[in-house]
Amino acid sequence: MLSKIKNKQLNTVFAVVLIFFALFIIFPAFVLFKNAFTTASGQSSSFSFENFSKVFSNGKLTQAFWNSTKVSFISSIITTLLAFILAYTEVFTNIPSWLKRILRTLAVFPMLLPTITYGFAVIYSFGKQGLITRVFGHQLFDFYGFKGLVFCYVIYTLPISFTLIKNTMRYIDKRYLIVCRIMGDSPVKCFYTAILQPLMGTIAVSIVQSFFLSFTDFGIPASIGGRYTVVAELLYNTMLGSLPDFHQGSVIALFMLLPSVLSILLLNYLQRFNVRYNKVSRVEMKRNVVHDIIWTTISFIIILFVLLVFLVIFVVPFVAEWPYNMTFSFKNVESVFGDKALTRVFVNSLEAALFTALFGTCFVYIAALASARSKIHPVFSKIIAAMAQVSNALPGMVLGIAFLLAFRKTPLHNTMAIIVLCNLVHFFATPFLMMKGALDKMNDSWETTALLLGDSWIKTVVRIITPNALATLLEIFIYLFINGLVTVSAVVFLASARTMVITTKIQELQHFAKFNEIFILSLFILITNLIMKAIKGFVTQRKGDN
């Protein structure tokens, strides 16, 4: 009897998860595909390539696709190289732990700001009247177009690439490096054999992941792309330009899926190249002051250059009139606080991020429970894993367009709910894998023991599993909140005048050259995210002390 009750509860949980995926992944994807193969007149055809021929006839998509591929590939190579340097400095040097902590914190700093801010920061740093230009006395490089995109994409993807490489590098067995030196191999050969070779798979993953993120980002091209048209910008202009065309936009969105599909296939293939040691020994590296100084210096030069780009965000809003009147002033900040439209946008952003984090954490938790802590049929568990992969493969812009097309004539249209639901789908994969990994490590017998004692599966989850999963749940909540606050690609097609969030408002403000407001709103996002990170650190520390 108890087993039947448990199965009924599990089936209910799985049904909720499956209905969600059907409504908010499968259905929008189906509408997007259908729209691509429907004529512009609205008359459906059994199988028509009319929209495809129109898109390819002018050559814009081909050129934009090539531009995106080139700029994304070059930036991904540079990013991976710089991320390797940062990760090596943290793992393979003997610098003080507090210095490594600073390096680790500053390396991921750009993740706390929306990508659309990066371009405006570069403009105000490297422009003719930019902060860094004024320091050097001349403009260092022309930042609009290709060079600016590469530069900003590197900044954008560096934190992700650094985290990937660092996490793998920590598990490299340092004994192999010692053995290599004892055998008399040259430093270069030791470096390749003991460090670089075991990291080949992760380095390839870093390149693929950085490429995918750069290819599908909209925020950076929107602010600094200039005349160098990339696919994300072409897609936006086709859908929401002066002459919107949802059918041709759907076709471009489908082609934007190509790098996503290839990325997933490559990432699955590259898993076989991961090096696994039976046991990783904790071995202290031989102290080499010159070695440590060189790597640390290079790393902090990289970090400093990245931070210098964002320095203008802390300077421009607090001067009377950049660059003509440089006296300190709170006039710009007071103006933003006095503008009810801007304060409402900030409140909207907080609401969207908070509801994304709350509902997202709950949904991720029940999906992971159904997959990892239940005896449902393996096929059902594979369905959940497959949906996680699909959501991970969907670029934000494609997801936003699919939601727009699927729900534009429903009560969800132009509501905060559709933004939250889109964010939930967009960011589902990573938290799900985090939660599933944590649940897999817990004792398998908890549910069985509780069942024998007469407790239901739900009671077991509430009383036993949840308390042990609180740390991961908090981490997921913060992850979803921060991403919900900084995202622009996924919501740019869904936000209305009433539900405008900061990232979409920033894009609107650029057309009126209101850069003071842009930087102040970006500061709001940064401060909010820093507060959330501080709360996470405080709670984690308290839990550790207890």
Side-chain angles (χ1 to χ4, degrees):
M1 181 67 180
L2 290 173
S3 180
K4 287 182 179 179
I5 294 172
K6 179 186 174 185
N7 288 336
K8 186 177 180 181
Q9 293 169 342
L10 286 172
N11 291 336
T12 302
V13 168
F14 177 73
V16 170
V17 174
L18 191 62
I19 290 169
F20 179 88
F21 287 143
L23 285 176
F24 301 111
I25 294 183
I26 298 172
F27 175 61
F30 169 76
V31 173
L32 180 67
F33 274 88
K34 181 177 179 292
N35 209 61
F37 293 99
T38 303
T39 57
S41 62
Q43 299 298 319
S44 61
S45 57
S46 56
F47 196 81
S48 172
F49 284 99
E50 182 180 340
N51 297 317
F52 289 80
S53 62
K54 286 181 180 178
V55 168
F56 281 100
S57 61
N58 55 26
K60 288 183 180 179
L61 178 58
T62 306
Q63 185 60 50
F65 200 91
W66 166 245
N67 288 345
S68 291
T69 302
K70 183 170 66 172
V71 73
S72 300
F73 179 73
I74 292 173
S75 63
S76 66
I77 297 295
I78 297 171
T79 296
T80 302
L81 175 62
L82 298 181
F84 180 90
I85 294 170
L86 297 179
Y88 182 92
T89 302
E90 182 179 339
V91 178
F92 282 95
T93 65
N94 286 305
I95 61 176
S97 58
W98 61 267
L99 196 57
K100 289 185 179 182
R101 191 162 51 249
I102 291 173
L103 174 68
R104 198 163 52 240
T105 303
L106 296 180
V108 298
F109 172 82
M111 294 178 71
L112 303 178
L113 285 164
T115 56
I116 197 167
T117 302
Y118 296 10
F120 302 128
V122 167
I123 292 170
Y124 267 66
S125 295
F126 296 99
K128 292 181 180 179
Q129 297 294 330
L131 182 63
I132 295 176
T133 300
R134 292 165 71 91
V135 171
F136 283 91
H138 62 91
Q139 191 171 356
L140 297 182
F141 68 99
D142 182 14
F143 50 82
Y144 279 111
F146 177 80
K147 293 179 182 177
L149 288 173
V150 169
F151 185 66
C152 288
Y153 283 152
V154 169
I155 294 173
Y156 167 43
T157 56
L158 186 60
I160 294 96
S161 182
F162 164 72
T163 305
L164 277 171
I165 296 174
K166 178 199 70 175
N167 288 343
T168 303
M169 195 177 279
R170 285 169 53 201
Y171 292 100
I172 290 179
D173 198 329
K174 297 176 182 177
R175 288 179 304 173
Y176 288 87
L177 192 61
I178 295 171
V179 171
C180 189
R181 287 172 179 168
I182 290 173
M183 294 184 68
D185 290 337
S186 67
V188 174
K189 188 175 181 180
C190 286
F191 180 81
Y192 173 78
T193 305
I195 299 174
L196 201 56
Q197 201 168 16
L199 279 174
M200 284 299 184
T202 303
I203 288 172
V205 168
S206 170
I207 293 171
V208 172
Q209 192 72 14
S210 299
F211 177 91
F212 169 70
L213 291 170
S214 300
F215 193 99
T216 58
D217 178 69
F218 168 71
I220 291 170
S223 57
I224 205 171
R227 296 182 179 179
Y228 192 86
T229 304
V230 293
V231 174
E233 193 176 3
L234 179 64
L235 179 56
Y236 177 82
N237 291 333
T238 304
M239 291 293 293
L240 297 179
S242 55
L243 294 171
D245 191 323
F246 287 180
H247 297 279
Q248 291 189 34
S250 299
V251 173
I252 298 171
L254 291 184
F255 275 90
M256 201 174 187
L257 285 173
L258 286 177
S260 307
V261 174
L262 290 173
S263 296
I264 294 296
L265 294 174
L266 277 170
L267 290 174
N268 288 333
Y269 174 76
L270 289 169
Q271 285 182 356
R272 68 180 65 185
F273 294 100
N274 290 338
V275 175
R276 293 180 176 86
Y277 300 102
N278 294 327
K279 184 180 179 182
V280 178
S281 304
R282 291 186 173 273
V283 178
E284 288 294 326
M285 295 294 299
K286 182 182 177 182
R287 292 197 172 273
N288 187 329
V289 178
V290 175
H291 166 272
D292 292 353
I293 289 175
I294 290 172
W295 283 96
T296 306
T297 303
I298 295 171
S299 293
F300 275 94
I301 287 173
I302 295 168
I303 295 294
L304 181 64
F305 206 73
V306 171
L307 294 180
L308 279 175
V309 173
F310 296 109
L311 182 62
V312 291
I313 298 176
F314 301 91
V315 175
V316 172
F318 301 102
V319 298
E321 186 180 2
W322 180 276
Y324 309 107
N325 185 354
M326 301 293 287
T327 56
F328 180 80
S329 173
F330 267 110
K331 180 185 67 174
N332 297 317
V333 178
E334 291 170 358
S335 174
V336 170
F337 276 107
D339 190 331
K340 290 184 179 179
L342 292 180
T343 53
R344 181 59 202 168
V345 164
F346 181 59
V347 172
N348 284 347
S349 294
L350 288 180
E351 287 179 4
L354 186 60
F355 285 127
T356 297
L358 281 172
F359 291 114
T361 302
C362 292
F363 180 71
V364 164
Y365 190 38
I366 66 170
L369 283 169
S371 179
R373 304 295 300 187
S374 68
K375 301 297 182 182
I376 61 173
H377 197 280
V379 172
F380 296 154
S381 183
K382 288 179 181 178
I383 289 173
I384 298 175
M387 288 297 103
Q389 276 206 327
V390 170
S391 69
N392 194 37
L394 286 173
M397 293 194 76
V398 175
L399 189 62
I401 289 171
F403 266 60
L404 173 66
L405 296 173
F407 303 110
R408 57 180 168 167
K409 294 180 181 179
T410 69
L412 281 175
H413 186 55
N414 287 340
T415 64
M416 186 62 70
I418 195 172
I419 293 176
V420 172
L421 288 166
C422 184
N423 285 341
L424 205 162
V425 174
H426 189 205
F427 303 119
F428 172 77
T430 300
F432 171 75
L433 293 174
M434 288 166 58
M435 193 73 254
K436 189 175 182 300
L439 293 175
D440 282 335
K441 293 174 184 175
M442 294 182 188
N443 195 316
D444 290 336
S445 63
W446 284 347
E447 289 92 337
T448 305
T449 304
L451 190 64
L452 292 172
L453 293 173
D455 282 345
S456 66
W457 182 73
I458 295 295
K459 282 185 179 180
T460 308
V461 168
V462 172
R463 293 176 179 177
I464 301 174
I465 297 177
T466 302
N468 285 279
L470 282 177
T472 307
L473 287 170
L474 176 64
E475 194 172 347
I476 288 171
F477 182 91
I478 300 296
Y479 174 89
L480 290 171
F481 183 92
I482 290 175
N483 281 279
L485 200 59
V486 303
T487 185
V488 60
S489 300
V491 301
V492 69
F493 299 104
L494 303 175
S496 64
R498 188 168 55 87
T499 60
M500 186 81 70
V501 292
I502 288 180
T503 50
T504 53
K505 186 66 178 179
I506 286 174
Q507 189 207 0
E508 180 186 293
L509 290 171
Q510 71 167 314
H511 298 297
F512 303 99
K514 293 186 176 182
F515 292 102
N516 286 323
E517 288 84 348
I518 287 172
F519 289 143
I520 292 168
L521 290 174
S522 299
L523 274 177
F524 284 168
I525 291 178
L526 176 61
I527 292 168
T528 305
N529 284 335
L530 286 173
I531 290 171
M532 294 303 291
K533 296 282 279 186
I535 291 172
K536 178 195 169 186
F538 175 75
V539 173
T540 304
Q541 187 176 6
R542 283 288 299 272
K543 194 174 186 303
D545 293 340
N546 292 335

